[in-house]
Amino acid sequence: AQSVTQLGSHVSVSEGALVLLRCNYSSSVPPYLFWYVQYPNQGLQLLLKYTSAATLVKGINGFEAEFKKSETSFHLTKPSAHMSDAAEYFCAVSAPTGGSYIPTFGRGTSLIVHP
Amino acid sequence: ETGVTQSPTHLIKTRGQQVTLRCSSQSGHNTVSWYQQALGQGPQFIFQYYREEENGRGNFPPRFSGLQFPNYSSELNVNALELDDSALYLCASSSDQGSSYEQYFGPGTRLTVT
């Protein structure tokens, strides 16, 4: 079984401030981990993914995430928030289930960026 | 390279009716997954098709059914619509090639049941 917990349904930051979105996972086997972004009325776009290589993963738009096995975490960060980063962010865990990979998504965190 | 497309964009149906949603997968992808995203929630897995066979199913009743065609496009059918079926339905395609299981999402179909 696998699950994802995203701490905080809303995160509010000022433009230029550090962005930190938290994600904790549960998986009985080594997982793949993903962060997706969703803009209003759109589908999900992959930001970055962890697939058991480097624990610090760099993605698009200046985002990065660090896989910490001891803490079962995969938090998303960006050094300096931009107004265009305002969106819904989803963490997902994917582990083999009966020969296929079925991702489980968190409930999402809405990032609000103030000017 | 063509991305994942879904049709229609929006749909309004009445309780008890049936609906069919369509998805064209990204070129080269042989796996399609369908998700239901209720307002303010994360996507919930409905089912997955791999080379025209159902390859996994989430906690959804049998009135949610699907098909995958030889060109790997897919349909999601929902019978006996209920008000709670109102949601954004997302299709995602992927390939069994490579070392990671990365899904590419379409823009979704917004279904409203009245």
Side-chain angles (χ1 to χ4, degrees):
Chain A
Q2 59 195 34
S3 65
V4 171
T5 301
Q6 290 185 241
L7 298 175
S9 58
H10 295 83
V11 169
S12 181
V13 300
S14 298
E15 191 174 20
L18 171 71
V19 175
L20 171 60
L21 304 183
R22 299 179 187 273
C23 172
N24 288 89
Y25 71 92
S26 171
S27 177
S28 57
V29 297
Y32 291 161
L33 294 159
F34 306 85
W35 275 99
Y36 286 88
V37 61
Q38 186 178 35
Y39 297 99
N41 300 313
Q42 295 188 26
L44 276 68
Q45 179 184 7
L46 181 68
L47 277 177
L48 48 80
K49 61 185 179 185
Y50 166 77
T51 57
S52 74
T55 56
L56 182 62
V57 181
K58 295 187 183 298
I60 62 172
N61 301 339
F63 285 94
E64 63 182 37
E66 186 173 8
F67 172 68
K68 292 187 176 181
K69 183 178 179 180
S70 60
E71 299 176 8
T72 61
S73 68
F74 191 57
H75 302 330
L76 181 71
T77 61
K78 181 174 180 177
S80 177
H82 192 272
M83 296 296 290
S84 62
D85 294 328
E88 192 80 16
Y89 290 80
F90 293 95
C91 180
V93 60
S94 182
T97 305
S100 63
Y101 283 80
I102 307 297
T104 298
F105 286 84
R107 295 171 64 94
T109 297
S110 179
L111 177 63
I112 302 162
V113 182
H114 297 286
Chain B
E1 184 179 86
T2 305
V4 179
T5 60
Q6 293 186 243
S7 62
T9 306
H10 296 86
L11 201 54
I12 300 175
K13 288 287 189 178
T14 303
R15 189 172 51 184
Q17 287 187 316
Q18 178 266 344
V19 69
T20 297
L21 310 182
R22 295 178 175 83
C23 171
S24 292
S25 59
Q26 184 162 314
S27 176
H29 287 183
N30 54 18
T31 304
V32 173
S33 302
W34 285 92
Y35 297 85
Q36 181 194 68
Q37 186 179 16
L39 199 61
Q41 303 293 318
Q44 297 293 312
F45 174 72
I46 302 175
F47 45 57
Q48 180 183 90
Y49 279 82
Y50 172 65
R51 295 185 176 181
E52 304 178 58
E53 297 286 332
E54 188 177 290
N55 190 42
R57 189 177 182 91
N59 189 28
F60 280 81
R63 60 190 184 85
F64 286 79
S65 63
L67 281 173
Q68 188 180 31
F69 300 100
N71 65 355
Y72 302 132
S73 65
S74 178
E75 287 182 354
L76 163 66
N77 298 290
V78 187
N79 293 321
L81 284 167
E82 301 177 0
L83 296 179
D84 285 348
D85 295 333
S86 295
L88 179 68
Y89 287 85
L90 296 165
C91 165
S93 75
S94 55
S95 170
D96 61 350
Q97 303 300 313
S99 60
S100 66
Y101 196 77
E102 183 176 325
Q103 297 192 328
Y104 293 82
F105 284 80
T109 293
R110 174 74 62 186
L111 173 64
T112 302
V113 182
T114 62

